[in-house]
Amino acid sequence: MFALPLIAHGADAPAPQGSIHDGPYVFLNKQEQGFAYWICHSALKRTAINHAQLVRPADCGSLPEPKLYQGAASVAADTFTKVSKIVALSDVHGQFDVMINLLKAHHIIDDQHHWSFGDGHMVINGDMFDRGHQVNEVLWFLYRLDKEAQAAGGRLHLLMGNHEQMVLRGDLRYVNERYQVSAQLLQRRYDALYHHETEIGQWLRSKHTLVKINNLLFMHAGISPEWLTRKLTISQANQLFRDHVDATKAELKQDDLLNFLFFANGPTWYRGYFKDALTEEQVNDIISYFKVEHLVVGHTSQEQVLGLYHNKIIAIDSSIKKGKTGELLFIDKHKLKRGLFNGEQIAL
């Protein structure tokens, strides 16, 4: 392990209160392989991993105790058809409790937080990282749910957002201050806790940025008209994102195509639908290009799940990041519904 500067943090990240519990962190290098690292009462602890099962130290709060599984970093398909039910939410930003309450209210998970959505598909439209104080809890929960969904015949689609990309390339402006303690004790920068030689880091790097399910295309922010001029396919873009997610900002900026994909007009940053920047004809051209009827996006915060351009654009960043409430998009037999925080569903 090696010492590096502390993480930076955003203005909206509250200072940690009292003793900090965090973890687990699983590193795959030769020196640390076979162990899990935890922060318990602001002190570093280490436990052995037996038969892939992680067990937290005694008196270390209620941190997740996941079981590692082979194939976690396998790259899945990015296009699916004949899916009967879909649920989607976005921009969790470390608000574990809000996410759990919302998923339980709509019976996506059971009371023990296990998958109960059968052969349905769940999409997380990016931005699990930053701002909130339970990012690691969110990630390990979704890691386990990924396997449980597949075992039940369903799928969890975890899409990369701009904040995942920022953290993985070392832009740490919005990291919650809780993680200063973890970074110090582990003698790493925060981004190195999710390096490609970590369990969660490998898993994240296998994920897509865009996924097409039935007549819907999901991504974090949106598709700009520039995409059409570049004639990219979904799979081409997903591979380019995976290949270059660890590149520096300067390296990305030097390449015309990567500069487009990773920044303002790309699918993890674009906000044109919310600035009256596009005509409905332009939106029609975009959805026709992908042979879908709806684009489902997060990134730009709303108070609720919102349909724009006659529901051709569906905005699902419902401000979960504030830590109080949120909504999800529920699609059952092609019917679009707002899933409210109390479990009620309303036609979109």
Side-chain angles (χ1 to χ4, degrees):
M1 295 187 288
F2 49 92
L4 282 170
L6 292 181
I7 59 172
H9 57 89
D12 55 357
Q17 301 294 319
S19 294
I20 301 301
H21 298 303
D22 186 29
Y25 293 97
V26 178
F27 304 104
L28 304 178
N29 58 71
K30 288 183 180 179
Q31 293 80 9
E32 296 164 299
Q33 196 170 27
F35 296 95
Y37 291 83
W38 315 75
I39 312 301
C40 305
H41 295 289
S42 301
L44 182 64
K45 299 286 183 74
R46 186 177 81 164
T47 60
I49 300 171
N50 295 313
H51 303 292
Q53 180 65 57
L54 277 62
V55 179
R56 64 177 173 263
D59 192 24
C60 199
S62 57
L63 293 174
E65 297 179 292
K67 185 168 187 176
L68 309 182
Y69 66 97
Q70 290 186 339
S74 299
V75 177
D78 57 21
T79 301
F80 295 82
T81 60
K82 299 179 181 177
V83 177
S84 62
K85 54 185 179 179
I86 306 167
V87 65
L89 65 159
S90 188
D91 294 78
V92 172
H93 282 297
Q95 296 295 344
F96 177 77
D97 292 335
V98 174
M99 177 187 67
I100 290 294
N101 289 340
L102 189 56
L103 294 177
K104 285 169 65 175
H106 291 276
H107 308 291
I108 310 304
I109 59 174
D110 62 22
D111 288 341
Q112 285 72 48
H113 303 176
H114 293 291
W115 181 263
S116 61
F117 200 45
D119 62 358
H121 286 218
M122 182 169 95
V123 186
I124 305 287
N125 277 46
D127 279 12
M128 298 148 289
F129 277 93
D130 288 346
R131 304 188 193 278
H133 67 293
Q134 288 183 291
V135 171
N136 218 28
E137 287 87 339
V138 168
L139 292 170
W140 281 113
F141 164 71
L142 294 174
Y143 174 94
R144 174 172 55 78
L145 213 62
D146 195 358
K147 182 179 181 182
E148 292 182 354
Q150 291 185 55
R155 283 283 179 175
L156 169 63
H157 304 282
L158 191 67
L159 304 184
M160 299 292 275
N162 63 305
H163 281 268
E164 280 72 49
Q165 293 168 355
M166 289 167 69
V167 167
L168 293 182
R169 68 170 178 262
D171 184 342
L172 308 177
R173 287 173 290 168
Y174 299 98
V175 177
N176 189 281
E177 210 169 326
R178 172 192 185 193
Y179 297 107
Q180 291 233 25
V181 175
S182 301
Q184 280 184 305
L185 292 171
L186 288 162
Q187 296 185 294
R188 287 169 163 88
R189 284 172 54 101
Y190 179 71
D191 53 303
L193 304 182
Y194 301 101
H195 188 264
H196 63 85
E197 285 193 345
T198 66
E199 183 70 19
I200 289 292
Q202 284 193 357
W203 174 69
L204 287 171
R205 285 166 175 79
S206 73
K207 298 307 178 187
H208 296 308
T209 304
L210 305 98
V211 67
K212 181 179 176 181
I213 308 174
N214 296 344
N215 63 341
L216 303 105
L217 179 63
F218 297 83
M219 80 293 302
H220 178 59
I223 299 292
S224 68
E226 184 177 347
W227 184 294
L228 277 60
T229 67
R230 293 180 178 272
K231 296 180 168 42
L232 283 165
T233 67
I234 295 170
S235 294
Q236 285 170 340
N238 281 330
Q239 191 59 52
L240 285 166
F241 277 115
R242 277 192 297 274
D243 288 345
H244 299 280
V245 71
D246 292 304
T248 67
K249 186 174 183 178
E251 290 169 339
L252 296 171
K253 288 286 188 181
Q254 288 173 1
D255 184 280
D256 178 62
L257 179 55
L258 297 178
N259 183 49
F260 159 68
L261 281 174
F262 277 87
F263 299 110
N265 267 355
T268 59
W269 280 97
Y270 184 65
R271 297 188 193 269
Y273 312 134
F274 305 94
K275 299 179 179 179
D276 296 323
L278 297 188
T279 66
E280 189 144 4
E281 183 178 1
Q282 288 175 297
V283 172
N284 289 340
D285 289 341
I286 292 169
I287 63 174
S288 295
Y289 178 87
F290 292 102
K291 296 180 173 59
V292 295
E293 295 178 22
H294 311 278
L295 300 185
V296 182
V297 304
H299 188 54
T300 303
S301 297
Q302 317 295 322
E303 294 302 316
Q304 64 181 61
V305 170
L306 184 66
L308 304 169
Y309 296 93
H310 300 96
N311 283 352
K312 292 167 187 170
I313 307 295
I314 305 172
I316 63 168
D317 178 355
S318 60
S319 299
I320 291 173
K321 67 184 178 185
K322 294 180 180 178
K324 296 179 181 179
T325 187
E327 294 187 2
L328 50 75
L329 173 67
F330 201 91
I331 304 157
D332 189 4
K333 298 177 182 176
H334 302 289
K335 293 181 180 178
L336 306 174
K337 301 175 184 178
R338 287 171 53 204
L340 308 188
F341 195 61
N342 63 3
E344 184 182 356
Q345 295 181 3
I346 300 174
L348 188 63

